[in-house]
Amino acid sequence: MTHILLVEDDPAIAMSLKVTCKREGWQMTWLDNASSVLPMLHSHEAQDLSAIIMDVGLPDGDGLSLCQQIRHTPDIDALKDLPIIFLTARSDEVDRILGLEMGGDDYCAKPFSPRELVARLKAIWRREQLIQQSGSHTVNSNDSTESTSSNNLSGQALTFENQSGVWHYQPLNYSLTWQEQKLELSNTERKILLTLLQAPNQVFSREQLLNAVSDYPDHRLARTIDSHIKSIRKQLATVDTSIEVIHTHRGLGYALCPA
């Protein structure tokens, strides 16, 4: 059974989502504070979780920081790729960008429709089902000229060879490695990088990258791509600071170096 963890301090919202989950045939675990989340994720109950819905503003903590802890806590490594959708009453673009930069996969601004939230979850799971398809493929990135969405090959094991080195993508464990070191990326960051790797001679606008990684690009901000690119570059720098992997084309977008 699909199992959703809801972290939300508003009982009215929790009850509404609980009814929606029951209608979908899903199980929902509700926590109303931040301090209970990590202990729950360490418990046996967390082994069958399918996603986390998390309020940004919690009475005893910050949902954004909590998301970052989930993504980077070693002893819950098996859960760090769980889809996380933020619930936020904040309308400021910076707050929404920060949520995605911290490792969130999507967000719903309050007030929201439970049906919309269900649709967003199902969209994320559809992409993950593609990733779980078996297969293998090798791409010589220097020869690739056609624009390709990361979803088109997301179910295949991939090897990319370009001037920055050798990259390996393994869909069974969502692992993307560069120079034989695994990159700690969020789902969105990984999809952005895969999109660039599959079409190294193309300059992608923010809107094109947003369309490549999101089933709901109209509900996302193109400027969030800048934050994701910044986070990707930070992770790449932990492997090698001497290579510029992603180049910014001012007024146009992003591409692999050299484009």
Side-chain angles (χ1 to χ4, degrees):
M1 177 182 289
T2 299
H3 185 187
I4 307 297
L5 172 61
L6 173 65
V7 187
E8 167 62 60
D9 64 317
D10 188 328
I13 292 177
M15 291 303 103
S16 175
L17 289 177
K18 188 172 184 177
V19 170
T20 300
C21 286
K22 184 177 180 180
R23 187 181 299 124
E24 292 289 331
W26 302 348
Q27 175 188 353
M28 191 187 84
T29 296
W30 172 37
L31 301 176
D32 62 2
N33 60 82
S35 60
S36 299
V37 174
L38 289 181
M40 186 273 180
L41 293 180
H42 283 94
S43 72
H44 178 76
E45 186 181 3
Q47 293 181 7
D48 64 347
L49 279 178
S50 305
I52 300 174
I53 301 171
M54 184 183 302
D55 191 11
V56 170
L58 295 166
D60 63 339
D62 182 352
L64 301 178
S65 299
L66 184 57
C67 174
Q68 194 171 41
Q69 290 180 52
I70 294 170
R71 296 303 191 206
H72 299 289
T73 300
D75 52 353
I76 55 171
D77 191 67
L79 301 175
K80 71 180 182 181
D81 285 321
L82 272 177
I84 295 178
I85 294 184
F86 283 116
L87 304 179
T88 174
R90 305 178 185 183
S91 59
D92 194 334
E93 176 180 331
V94 173
D95 290 324
R96 286 179 279 177
I97 289 174
L98 185 59
L100 298 172
E101 190 176 55
M102 289 291 192
D105 296 281
D106 209 339
Y107 67 86
C108 276
K110 299 178 181 178
F112 64 90
S113 163
R115 292 176 61 186
E116 177 188 355
L117 185 57
V118 167
R120 289 175 181 270
L121 279 171
K122 289 180 178 179
I124 292 172
W125 291 331
R126 281 199 302 272
R127 292 195 296 266
E128 291 191 341
Q129 286 173 356
L130 290 174
I131 290 174
Q132 291 170 2
Q133 296 172 0
S134 61
S136 62
H137 189 73
T138 301
V139 176
N140 186 330
S141 293
N142 291 320
D143 296 334
S144 176
T145 58
E146 182 178 354
S147 172
T148 309
S149 165
S150 64
N151 290 339
N152 291 345
L153 297 175
S154 59
Q156 300 175 323
L158 304 173
T159 297
F160 303 95
E161 299 180 16
N162 55 47
Q163 294 189 20
S164 65
V166 179
W167 306 71
H168 297 289
Y169 174 63
Q170 176 52 255
L172 296 180
N173 60 3
Y174 308 100
S175 172
L176 181 61
T177 62
W178 176 47
Q179 298 187 10
E180 300 184 351
Q181 294 194 45
K182 183 178 178 181
L183 301 173
E184 299 297 332
L185 304 169
S186 71
N187 291 334
T188 300
E189 292 161 2
R190 184 172 57 249
K191 291 167 189 171
I192 290 172
L193 195 46
L194 283 172
T195 299
L196 295 174
L197 285 167
Q198 291 173 47
N201 295 313
Q202 177 174 344
V203 178
F204 287 86
S205 68
R206 296 182 182 91
E207 290 75 14
Q208 286 175 315
L209 288 173
L210 198 60
N211 286 328
V213 303
S214 175
D215 286 343
Y216 292 91
D218 292 340
H219 295 272
R220 304 283 288 270
L221 300 168
R223 284 288 178 179
T224 62
I225 295 297
D226 296 343
S227 294
H228 287 307
I229 293 292
K230 179 181 178 181
S231 180
I232 293 170
R233 284 171 169 159
K234 184 177 180 180
Q235 177 61 209
L236 294 174
T238 66
V239 178
D240 192 333
T241 59
S242 67
I243 300 176
E244 182 184 11
V245 176
I246 301 174
H247 180 66
T248 301
H249 293 260
R250 293 190 179 278
L252 297 175
Y254 299 99
L256 288 189
C257 296

